[in-house]
Every structure is written in C-alpha cells, then in structure tokens.
Amino acid sequence: MVTKKKNGGFHMNNVSTFITRPFQFEGTKLHPNVLLMCKLLVILMTAHHMFFKIADPFIPFIPALDWFNEYPNVFKYSLRAIYASSVFALLFNIKVRTAALVTGSVVILSIIASKPLFFNHTFICGCALFLAGLTNDKEPPYLLIFQLSLVYFGASINKFLEPDWWSGAFMDTWLGTARENPVYLYVSELLPELVFAKLLSYIAMITEFAIAVLILFKKTRNLTLWFIIIFHTTLFTLTSFRFGHFIESLAIVLLAFLNIPKEQLRISYKQQSLHPLKQFFTFLDRDKKQTWSDLPSENSHWLRLETKDKTLYNHEALKDIFLYTPNFFMLLIAIDMAMYIVLYNHRTTLFVFNMIFIWSVIFYFLPIHWKKKKKS
C-alpha cells in the first residue's frame, strides 16, 4: 500500500508498486493462471460496456426483482458501484477471491434482473468469475473444469433435441440465408441439397458432446483444450462471426488450465544475439520469477529453460517462457483490442489480420515437433 512520509508526501516506490499491481499475479489466494483469467475477463467485459449495461430490472427472470423499480436507479447505481469496486479490487490484487465472487455475482444478478441482457458469453464470464472465487491456490480449479464441461454438454444436448439440427435446416438458414457465407454457399452448390448443412450440424453436435466428456479426464484434458481452440478458430474462420465476445471469453477461460510453475524459472541464453529477448521478458515479468544467465559460447543451444520438472531448449523453451509469463496474454488481448479499434471500419482487413494473427499463434504453440530429428 501507499504509505505517508513524515512531511506528508508519499514513497514513490510504494506508488509505483501499487500502479503495477494489475500486472502482478503471484502471492494471492488464487493460482496465478486463475487470477490471470479473472483479470482478463473483467477487462473484456468492461471493454464491452458491462458497467453501462447494468440497469434497473426489466422483464426479470425472477418477477420479485420488479420491486426495485419502485425506487428508480437504486438497483442500477448500487450494482454499478459494487461492480466498479470489485473490478478495481480484482485488478489491484485486493482480496482477489472475494472480488471475483462479487464481480461474478453482480454480472449474474444483472442478467437475472433483465432478460435482454442474457447472452451466453456474458453469463459464462459471470459464472467463471464466481467459480474462480470459490477456488484457492492449493487445489486445481475443478469447478471451472465442471463449468466448461457443462457448457458443452448443454450446447450439445440442446442441439440433439432440435429437429432443425438433424435436418440441416438451422445450419442452412444461418450460414446460407442469414450470413450468406460464401464458403458455405460454394460448397453447398457442389453437393446435394442440405448435405453439407447436415455434415456441419453433425460435426458440431458430436464435437461439443465429445468435448463435454473428454474435458473431465486428466489424460485427455490437454488434447481436448487444443481441440476446443482449433474447433472454435475454424468456426470463426468459416463464419467470420465472434458470437458477441464468446470466442475471446472462451480463450480466456482456457487460461485457467495453464500450469504455471511455482518456483523460479531459470533461463540461460546467448547474450550477444538474444539480449533484446531478455529485455522483452524482463519488462513483462512483473513478478520477478525469471532469472537470466549467460550460456557458454561453445554451447550448441541458444536458449535453455530449467524448472523443477524439466529442462527445455530453444523454441520448446521459448514457448514455455511465453506461456509462463502472464503479461504475455495481457499483451495479446491489448493487441487484439487495438486491432479492433484501428480497423473497426475496415471489417475485411480486420478479419484477415485476425486470421493471420490467431492461426500464427496456434501453429507456433501447437505441441508438435515440425522438424524431423536428424539421425545420429
């Protein structure tokens, strides 16, 4: 906290430390990756005007909430004040579990109070924040695993019970008529009527049900997470539609499954060629978890990462350094938002840049060894 000097001033080091708290993730009652998820979710929702969407009850899911309309603006401004306070506390690492619980509760309550505010992506964010507040830094975030499974289970069952999904009518109406998607229209003309629509419908239903089941098992969880990323990115590529901020919300929730080591990251590098890389990561490493040292000049590797469980070299090491640096993801969302603002009136250009950016990140981080090892 900021402390006063005897002359009435403030210690500048304490001020600077407080200002950098939004970029610090260690030392709280939440896992660093779960805290990262929470911070990114509130940034995303606030950027999408969540604060201003909170209003007095309007066609509430619970009719009793209409009582607040007898006192105009009390409900609205009370929830807005609580939302702003809890978001501030979460971003600045003040009672983070309580802040996540309160923020999630406000989002859920505002949705319950006004049916027009109900969107899957907003509700998922509220639930994720609420469940994150119920976790701790001692156990894996099981509640978030169950939430993700429930989301896909509900989505698949909802589709299984709809005849229009089995007949392909929904997919054809959505992509063919509503969206006029050129890829869908082109492929559909090459095949018998509704065949392509049925194929896409069945793939969506089966995929979502498989995800709901496989995410529950530790052995298949990592593969399932990658499957989720590729599935939704492919869907975005095909439709150029983000479903509100569902895709961003989902990507952020997946960060809760990162396993950031608790101990220091020991990094060795070729100083002459990689000094800018060290400066970049040192700038992002607000928690001071990385210790950098020089690699001997005769060493054949240019980068080495040592943790308690493993030692990695070169690009494999670089990938994990990125993943274990929470502010790398803060930078990614900042880049995405900046692209959206700058290219808002140039949607085609924005879509192309998004595709290049997202697929480049995916292909780089895929756990696949693209280069074949040379025979010794």
Side-chain angles (χ1 to χ4, degrees), residues 30 33-43 90 100 128-129 132:
L30 288 176
N33 48 303
V34 176
L35 180 57
L36 170 65
M37 179 202 76
C38 292
K39 290 187 178 186
L40 289 178
L41 284 180
V42 298
I43 290 172
L90 187 56
L129 287 166

Side-chain angles (χ1 to χ4, degrees), residues 110-298:
S110 65
I111 292 173
I112 292 174
S114 299
K115 286 184 180 179
L117 278 182
F118 179 80
F119 292 98
N120 285 332
H121 50 273
T122 307
F123 187 65
I124 287 171
C125 289
C127 291
L129 287 166
F130 183 83
L131 295 176
L134 296 177
T135 67
N136 56 51
D137 61 341
K138 303 293 189 297
E139 299 176 347
Y142 294 116
L143 293 175
L144 292 170
I145 296 173
F146 297 145
Q147 181 200 1
L148 202 58
S149 176
L150 186 60
V151 166
Y152 283 99
F153 184 74
S156 61
I157 294 301
N158 183 55
K159 293 177 176 62
F160 283 140
L161 298 177
E162 289 289 338
D164 285 348
W165 275 89
W166 290 100
S167 67
F170 176 87
M171 192 68 71
D172 183 65
T173 302
W174 178 47
L175 290 179
T177 305
R179 301 291 300 174
E180 294 184 350
N181 184 270
V183 176
Y184 174 80
L185 292 173
Y186 176 77
V187 176
S188 294
E189 290 179 359
L190 302 176
L191 300 172
E193 186 178 4
L194 294 181
V195 167
F196 189 45
K198 288 181 181 179
L199 177 62
L200 293 178
S201 298
Y202 298 164
I203 289 174
M205 291 188 290
I206 294 171
T207 297
E208 289 176 342
F209 186 78
I211 289 172
V213 175
L214 295 175
I215 196 71
L216 295 172
F217 300 98
K218 188 175 181 180
K219 289 184 178 180
T220 56
R221 190 169 299 144
N222 286 339
L223 181 62
T224 305
L225 294 176
W226 274 110
F227 196 64
I228 291 171
I229 293 170
I230 294 173
F231 172 67
H232 285 287
T233 306
T234 302
L235 186 61
F236 177 44
T237 305
L238 178 63
T239 64
S240 69
F241 190 54
R242 294 196 180 200
F243 305 92
H245 56 74
F246 173 75
I247 291 180
E248 298 98 309
S249 304
L250 180 65
I252 291 172
V253 170
L254 295 184
L255 294 177
F257 299 91
L258 272 177
N259 186 19
I260 300 177
K262 295 182 179 180
E263 68 276 2
Q264 289 287 112
L265 304 178
R266 300 184 301 278
I267 305 169
S268 304
Y269 72 114
K270 288 291 182 68
Q271 185 177 12
Q272 292 181 348
S273 55
L274 295 181
H275 185 65
L277 184 70
K278 178 196 173 183
Q279 289 181 313
F280 173 72
F281 279 111
T282 301
F283 174 75
L284 293 181
D285 180 28
R286 297 293 93 187
D287 290 304
K288 308 301 180 186
K289 284 194 65 174
Q290 302 172 4
T291 56
W292 292 74
S293 60
D294 296 342
L295 273 174
S297 57
E298 65 273 10

